[in-house]
Amino acid sequence: RRIELADPGRSLFLTKPTAAVRHKGGIRFDVDSHEYRALSQWIAAGAQAPTAGDARLGRLEVLPQKALLKPGDEYQLLVRAHFTDGRIEDVTDWIRFSATNEAVAKVDSQGKVTVVGHGEGAVTAWYLSRIVIANVTAPYPNKLDPALLASAPRRNFIDDMVLAKLGDLKLPPSPKCSDEEFLRRASIDTIGTLPTAAEARAFLADTAPDKRDKLIDALLTRREYVDYWSYKWSDIMLISGRRIRPPAVKAFYDWIRNNVEKNTPWDEMVRQVVTAQGSSHENGATNFYALHQLPEEMTENVSQAFLSLSIGCARCHNHPMEKWTNDQYYAMANLFSRVRAKGWGGDARLGDGLRTLYVADSGELIQPATGKPQPPTPLDSEPIPFDAPQDRREVLARWLTSPDNPYFARAISNRVWANFFSVGLVEKVDDLRMSNPASNEALLSATAQYLVANKFDLKTLMRAILQSETYQRSSQPLAENRNESRFYSRFYPRRMMAEVLLDCIVQVTGVPEEFKRVADIDGATQDTKFYPPGTRALQLYDAAIVSPFLKTFGRNEREVACECARTNEPSIVQVLNLTNGGSINGKLADKKNKLTELLAADHSDLALLDEIYLGTLARFPTTKERTGLVQVLAETRPSEKRQAVEDIYWGILSSREFLFNH
């Protein structure tokens, strides 16, 4: 019934999609369409199956590949398929088109592009599991003097490539940020900690021309750097007591922290995770496999965490918008088919979570669609023989961390970039698919190459970013660059992440947060003594710690290996917490806080204000602030002075200037 060789027009292949026969999917094409003719001719010719000798698609070509236009312009894309037998065919009619940034350009189903706004966009063309990208540039309507960019200060390759892109888009860069802004910004982004009032005073008083470089080097060696980046990598590797027992959680975190402290190159750190074996208490990296115990889970999480690729859709069928096929998915997953664990039945949730991870000599993962295993193969690589004796994960690790891997260096470079610039070169940062192009492809490639050239030393990349004029731009927009948010003409402010914000409030007030309860695997909470008084939020190695503040402000709960699990989006609950809740008010009212110490020191009102502003905003109060607040304090009765100072602190701690890194 599906195919009627003698009467192609009666085939369900044709009658259902044309709605001649009732079909839940609706009309998919008309009787006079290209699709109908192609299928009917194939059926009439005997519905021949593919053969090994058939030509295959070699590559796709889209024309024009780049277009420089203005809003209101329209043009037609042409897509050509180059086959392995030398044929070149116009396949535009068969292409699935989509626009990556519809604020700049839209595309219809026939490949007609309409430019609607300023900036850069891209159109993806999908055919036979292949994708090709057409780029659209619509410069902003600014009169940009070329001399402005030519004379702009440059520190390294980052500035060269950003300025080139700004020139293409006619975007002027904002000026350099102040020392106050740089000190606070770099401290929050690098170590997740505010500079103290003493540190701010010393930095602002320093007249050395290289003081910013000295600050960068100092930040990269701080103990807080280890806290901050251990926490960031714990997010990626999903360390949580909701999934493994406390001793295993501690072992996994300690493994990450030791590597961050030693500045282990990223490729080596990933190799250790991927090839981990042994006791879950002695080799913390093995707990990566306690979190992901099925070969399918292992391959999806390795791909997401270390390549920023989401290949889960290919688990059931060929990926609808990427090149990954169902065969490739199961070939990759078969690399993990021999990973085994013993101890507590292999269940990481039982007892003390002690498991021993090992690799068996046999075992294959069966692909459900075929009933057979796929040859174990890293994505886009060569297969391993079924009877190869070595641990298949070693082959995977070599491919994964290879400088030639088109995803690995780009993925971690983009993650580090987004940490410092608020916006990744690819957004979202863990969505590094071909149909989601970078805002500056040349810069992303150069950043990845720089990391490879420096043997995956992340501190070296961080130093280059921090030293760049691009990073050191003001967050104050110009009239000409106010509406752009992807090309780094200025620094983009963002609210501090939940853990950093809580630690900053604690630092300013001097009242530590207490972390006394933890959620277990079943969701129930229980007391914990793992975190003594004075533990910072960034020193928590378990996402299962109960903290209403961290939950309210969008911490990563570490359930999935996706950056989307963390949110910086504002909410009414957050506003109420800061204005009326105990997070700020309770700490300001505590009689053992820093405010009490400041008042006891008997500072003058001017000196008191300086200490408050330096310790919160890393700057001195402006003339207007100083004049107004000194008058308020002078008019306040001595018995009410503490309340007045509490109000000053409250006003700053609940302000956007404090809450946002800018």
Side-chain angles (χ1 to χ4, degrees):
R1 295 172 56 208
R2 292 178 177 82
I3 295 177
E4 291 284 353
L5 296 177
D7 189 358
R10 293 173 57 197
S11 302
L12 291 182
F13 252 40
L14 297 172
T15 58
K16 280 193 173 184
T18 57
V21 171
R22 291 184 63 183
H23 173 50
K24 289 183 179 179
I27 297 176
R28 308 305 296 171
F29 50 77
D30 297 323
V31 174
D32 60 351
S33 66
H34 294 296
E35 291 89 343
Y36 189 95
R37 285 195 294 273
L39 285 173
S40 62
Q41 290 170 6
W42 170 66
I43 294 171
Q48 295 297 313
T51 68
D54 288 344
R56 300 286 191 250
L57 176 61
R59 65 182 179 90
L60 283 181
E61 175 187 25
V62 61
L63 299 171
Q65 199 275 323
K66 294 182 180 180
L68 182 64
L69 301 166
K70 62 182 184 301
D73 288 346
E74 296 180 342
Y75 70 103
Q76 177 66 44
L77 290 173
L78 170 70
V79 184
R80 301 195 299 182
H82 294 250
F83 291 91
T84 53
D85 62 358
R87 279 184 302 120
I88 301 176
E89 289 188 10
D90 179 353
V91 294
T92 307
D93 288 342
W94 310 107
I95 295 295
R96 182 187 298 170
F97 291 101
S98 63
T100 63
N101 184 359
E102 292 197 340
V104 175
K106 296 183 178 181
V107 63
D108 66 15
S109 60
Q110 305 303 310
K112 184 179 180 180
V113 179
T114 302
V115 182
V116 296
H118 300 287
E120 279 199 345
V123 173
T124 64
W126 185 90
Y127 177 70
L128 293 182
S129 297
R130 296 290 182 89
I131 289 176
V132 67
I133 302 289
N135 296 297
V136 185
T137 300
Y140 288 80
N142 301 321
K143 293 182 179 179
L144 184 63
D145 184 355
L148 176 67
L149 294 180
S151 61
R154 302 162 189 256
R155 182 66 185 271
N156 53 37
F157 72 95
I158 293 173
D159 301 319
D160 292 336
M161 293 187 168
V162 169
L163 289 170
K165 180 66 71 175
L166 296 182
D168 292 343
L169 293 167
K170 295 185 178 180
L171 286 168
S174 290
K176 197 163 191 165
C177 68
S178 67
D179 283 344
E180 294 89 342
E181 290 171 318
F182 178 75
L183 170 63
R184 190 175 191 270
R185 178 192 301 173
S187 297
I188 291 173
D189 283 342
T190 310
I191 63 174
T193 304
L194 286 176
T196 65
E199 289 168 344
R201 192 186 298 274
F203 182 77
L204 298 179
D206 190 350
T207 59
D210 62 345
K211 70 177 186 178
R212 293 195 183 192
D213 282 355
K214 290 179 179 177
L215 172 67
I216 292 167
D217 289 339
L219 291 174
L220 292 172
T221 59
R222 289 270 294 264
R223 186 71 177 174
E224 295 90 341
Y225 170 92
V226 181
D227 292 338
Y228 181 70
W229 288 97
S230 297
Y231 198 95
K232 297 279 283 188
W233 304 145
S234 295
D235 275 357
I236 291 178
M237 299 191 200
L238 305 181
I239 299 182
S240 173
R242 296 185 185 92
R243 308 180 73 177
I244 54 178
R245 302 302 298 167
V249 169
K250 182 67 163 60
F252 199 0
Y253 175 80
D254 285 346
W255 176 84
I256 291 176
R257 185 179 181 85
N258 290 337
N259 277 286
V260 172
E261 193 166 24
K262 293 186 296 185
N263 195 33
T264 301
W266 181 250
D267 59 335
E268 174 58 28
M269 194 169 168
V270 172
R271 275 195 295 271
Q272 290 182 32
V273 173
V274 172
T275 62
Q277 294 191 55
S279 165
S280 60
H281 290 185
E282 296 175 6
N283 181 4
T286 63
N287 289 290
F288 184 82
Y289 292 99
L291 297 168
H292 323 296
Q293 297 191 22
L294 297 176
E296 295 91 338
E297 293 175 352
M298 295 174 191
T299 195
E300 289 178 25
N301 283 282
V302 164
S303 299
Q304 188 75 74
F306 306 131
L307 301 175
S308 293
L309 293 176
S310 178
I311 67 171
C313 285
R315 188 170 183 171
C316 299
H317 47 70
N318 292 346
H319 201 296
M321 291 302 294
E322 283 297 306
K323 67 179 184 178
W324 310 119
T325 66
N326 186 242
D327 287 348
Q328 284 180 296
Y329 177 95
Y330 278 95
M332 176 80 164
N334 204 18
L335 293 164
F336 299 101
S337 61
R338 298 178 180 179
V339 178
R340 303 281 191 274
K342 57 186 177 182
W344 293 105
D347 193 334
R349 301 171 301 170
L350 300 176
D352 59 3
L354 178 60
R355 304 163 75 244
T356 299
L357 195 76
Y358 67 99
V359 177
D361 295 330
S362 62
E364 307 293 347
L365 177 66
I366 301 301
Q367 182 178 359
T370 64
K372 300 178 182 179
Q374 284 288 332
T377 312
L379 296 174
D380 282 345
S381 188
E382 297 300 317
I384 306 168
F386 283 114
D387 58 355
Q390 78 266 43
D391 182 353
R392 293 171 175 179
R393 298 176 306 158
E394 293 178 358
V395 177
L396 171 63
R398 286 196 296 272
W399 168 82
L400 187 71
T401 61
S402 168
D404 298 326
N405 187 311
Y407 309 106
F408 182 71
R410 289 164 61 90
I412 188 59
S413 297
N414 191 52
R415 286 187 187 274
V416 171
W417 181 278
N419 175 83
F420 289 96
F421 285 100
S422 305
V423 177
L425 288 162
V426 173
E427 278 289 318
K428 300 293 186 178
V429 297
D430 46 15
D431 190 16
L432 212 65
R433 53 192 162 86
M434 186 177 178
S435 54
N436 184 31
S439 61
N440 191 329
E441 173 55 39
L443 178 55
L444 178 57
S445 295
T447 304
Q449 291 166 9
Y450 182 84
L451 186 60
V452 170
N454 285 280
K455 303 185 184 305
F456 289 96
D457 181 346
L458 296 184
K459 281 190 179 182
T460 300
L461 176 58
M462 293 174 192
R463 184 177 289 106
I465 288 172
L466 288 161
Q467 289 178 338
S468 71
E469 294 290 336
T470 302
Y471 179 78
Q472 296 187 26
R473 287 200 183 105
S474 171
S475 60
Q476 291 297 318
L478 304 174
E480 299 90 345
N481 68 20
R482 182 180 300 276
N483 295 323
E484 81 85 8
S485 58
R486 289 296 309 277
F487 307 107
Y488 312 103
S489 63
R490 55 192 169 86
F491 186 83
Y492 308 123
R494 65 173 168 191
R495 202 208 73 205
M496 288 186 278
M497 77 182 208
E499 297 83 353
V500 173
L501 178 56
L502 180 55
D503 283 347
C504 288
I505 293 172
V506 168
Q507 178 179 328
V508 168
T509 61
V511 180
E513 192 79 359
E514 294 186 339
F515 303 102
K516 294 181 176 180
R517 296 191 67 77
V518 61
D520 63 21
I521 288 166
D522 297 322
T525 64
Q526 58 187 7
D527 292 337
T528 178
K529 297 181 180 180
F530 274 32
Y531 305 100
T535 299
R536 302 167 65 232
L538 284 173
Q539 293 172 329
L540 299 174
Y541 43 83
D542 187 352
I545 289 298
V546 176
S547 171
F549 183 96
L550 297 181
K551 186 175 181 65
T552 297
F553 284 85
R555 74 172 172 190
N556 189 332
E557 298 294 341
R558 300 178 183 169
E559 295 294 333
V560 293
C562 177
E563 201 66 29
C564 60
R566 176 179 294 282
T567 177
N568 285 332
E569 292 297 317
S571 69
I572 293 298
V573 177
Q574 293 173 10
V575 174
L576 293 174
N577 183 291
L578 294 173
T579 55
N580 302 323
S583 298
I584 292 178
N585 292 326
K587 294 185 188 308
L588 290 177
D590 192 308
K591 293 301 186 283
K592 297 180 181 179
N593 64 14
K594 283 188 178 179
L595 189 155
T596 301
E597 295 178 13
L598 281 176
L599 291 174
D602 198 25
H603 291 293
S604 68
D605 289 345
L606 284 173
L608 178 63
L609 289 173
D610 285 350
E611 286 298 307
I612 293 172
Y613 273 79
L614 287 170
T616 55
L617 303 176
R619 66 172 176 84
F620 290 99
T622 64
T623 300
K624 182 179 179 180
E625 290 165 338
R626 184 178 280 119
T627 301
L629 291 175
V630 165
Q631 182 177 349
V632 168
L633 292 174
E635 295 173 354
T636 300
R637 288 179 293 187
S639 61
E640 297 176 350
K641 186 169 184 178
R642 180 185 175 96
Q643 185 61 53
V645 175
E646 284 185 17
D647 287 347
I648 293 172
Y649 266 113
W650 178 89
I652 294 174
L653 293 177
S654 61
S655 70
R656 283 182 294 178
E657 186 177 359
F658 178 80
L659 299 172
F660 281 72
N661 194 16
H662 51 83

